[in-house]
């Protein structure tokens, strides 16, 4: 499973990238707006930090304008993946961008039928938002299970990018089902490594080492 950070914050991206296990980045207009800087400059900087797919979302809602915006974003760097919303205009734009060899992330997916349409439109990946479904008492993980099953049944190449991840168990469950990518906030990324027994064990190893006065060298 590939691990992406869902953020526009370069400090977080640098820290996560330094661990050597970060595969890519997703951004969205809300995350970019929080950073208060030029979108293109931000994307350029992210591309210097992470050598992997970097999702950048269009803000137009009409297909031709999405394609224009998408082509513009894709020119920034070869790793840019253009993100379009899962609406009919977004599907049209996805088809057109994919035909030009531009990778597309079809976002705001909340149902299996939407995911099938994204695959048929030639999306490189689809982004089902599991946390937002959980928030309204629906089962986000069931959506991942359905999409993975359907994509396997028809050998769709589109990757399942599990988004709106809220906790480490979302990552574990999505990996058990076979999701291709998990994008998560930095808080969740950091939680993946934490275990109290690791901390306690390390503390004891180091204390025992000191007590025995093991000869150095
Ligand atoms: O970037 C898309 C998605 O991951 C957003 O997550 O937490 O705003 O529902 P969230």
């Amino acid at each position: 499973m590939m691990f992406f950070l869902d953020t526009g914050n370069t400090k977080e991206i640098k820290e996560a990238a330094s661990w050597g296990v970060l595969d890519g980045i997703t951004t969205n207009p809300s995350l970019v707006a929080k950073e208060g800087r030029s979108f293109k400059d931000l994307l350029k900087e992210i591309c210097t930090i992470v050598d992997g797919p970097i999702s950048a979302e269009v803000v137009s809602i009409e297909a031709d304008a999405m394609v224009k915006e998408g082509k513009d974003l894709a020119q920034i760097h070869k790793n840019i993946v253009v993100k379009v919303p899962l609406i009919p205009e977004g599907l049209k734009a996805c088809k057109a961008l994919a035909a030009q060899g531009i990778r597309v992330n079809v976002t705001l997916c909340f149902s299996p039928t939407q995911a099938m349409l994204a695959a048929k439109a030639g999306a490189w990946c689809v982004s089902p938002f599991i946390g937002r479904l959980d928030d309204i008492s629906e089962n986000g993980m069931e959506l991942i299970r359905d999409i993975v099953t359907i994509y396997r049944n028809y050998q769709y190449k589109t990757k399942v990018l599990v988004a709106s991840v809220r906790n480490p168990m979302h990552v574990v469950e999505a990996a058990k089902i076979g999701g291709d990518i998990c994008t998560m906030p930095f808080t969740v990324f950091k939680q993946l490594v934490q275990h109290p027994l690791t901390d306690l064990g390390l503390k004891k190893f180091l204390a025992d080492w000191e007590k025995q006065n093991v000869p150095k060298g």
Side-chain angles (χ1 to χ4, degrees):
M1 173 176 255
M2 285 191 277
F3 285 168
F4 287 10
L5 218 55
D6 194 30
T7 185
N9 186 286
T10 52
K11 194 166 168 268
E12 292 178 350
I13 294 170
K14 279 179 193 159
E15 174 60 23
S18 74
W19 294 11
V21 294
L22 184 65
D23 300 297
I25 301 292
T26 51
T27 62
N28 63 39
S30 306
L31 293 170
V32 172
K34 274 206 284 193
E35 300 307 312
R37 54 183 286 201
S38 143
F39 187 24
K40 281 190 183 172
D41 287 350
L42 177 61
L43 289 173
K44 280 180 196 162
E45 187 179 348
I46 293 173
C47 289
T48 66
I49 308 168
V50 180
D51 185 16
I54 314 292
S55 284
E57 190 159 341
V58 302
V59 288
S60 306
I61 52 166
E62 187 274 322
D64 287 343
M66 285 186 202
V67 172
K68 190 171 176 295
E69 217 185 310
K71 282 166 73 174
D72 203 33
L73 289 170
Q75 270 171 9
I76 294 172
H77 194 279
K78 65 176 174 47
N79 285 344
I80 296 288
V81 176
V82 175
K83 220 169 163 185
V84 302
L86 219 161
I87 57 176
E89 293 296 303
L91 293 173
K92 287 185 215 172
C94 176
K95 186 101 182 175
L97 289 164
Q100 294 175 52
I102 294 171
R103 289 183 294 177
V104 181
N105 173 350
V106 181
T107 190
L108 288 166
C109 174
F110 293 96
S111 77
T113 52
Q114 287 182 319
M116 289 167 78
L117 291 169
K120 288 173 73 67
W124 178 73
C125 74
V126 67
S127 292
F129 280 25
I130 60 173
R132 292 192 194 184
L133 282 170
D134 291 353
D135 289 346
I136 58 159
S137 304
E138 289 195 28
N139 190 332
M141 207 51 72
E142 275 309 305
L143 175 60
I144 302 304
R145 203 180 308 278
D146 286 346
I147 299 172
V148 168
T149 302
I150 293 166
Y151 279 12
R152 279 189 190 144
N153 286 348
Y154 294 96
Q155 288 96 46
Y156 286 135
K157 298 271 182 292
T158 303
K159 296 182 192 309
V160 180
L161 190 159
V162 182
S164 188
V165 162
R166 302 278 163 78
N167 57 63
M169 284 315 290
H170 273 160
V171 181
V172 173
E173 290 302 321
K176 281 159 73 176
I177 293 167
D180 300 290
I181 306 163
C182 222
T183 191
M184 63 201 91
F186 190 47
T187 45
V188 175
F189 186 81
K190 283 187 290 186
Q191 286 171 333
L192 300 184
V193 76
Q194 286 163 9
H195 201 290
L197 291 181
T198 304
D199 297 338
L200 274 175
L202 179 61
K203 205 171 157 191
K204 185 166 183 337
F205 282 158
L206 297 180
D208 289 346
W209 182 265
E210 285 307 316
K211 256 190 297 189
Q212 291 306 317
N213 201 16
V214 180
K216 304 281 180 295

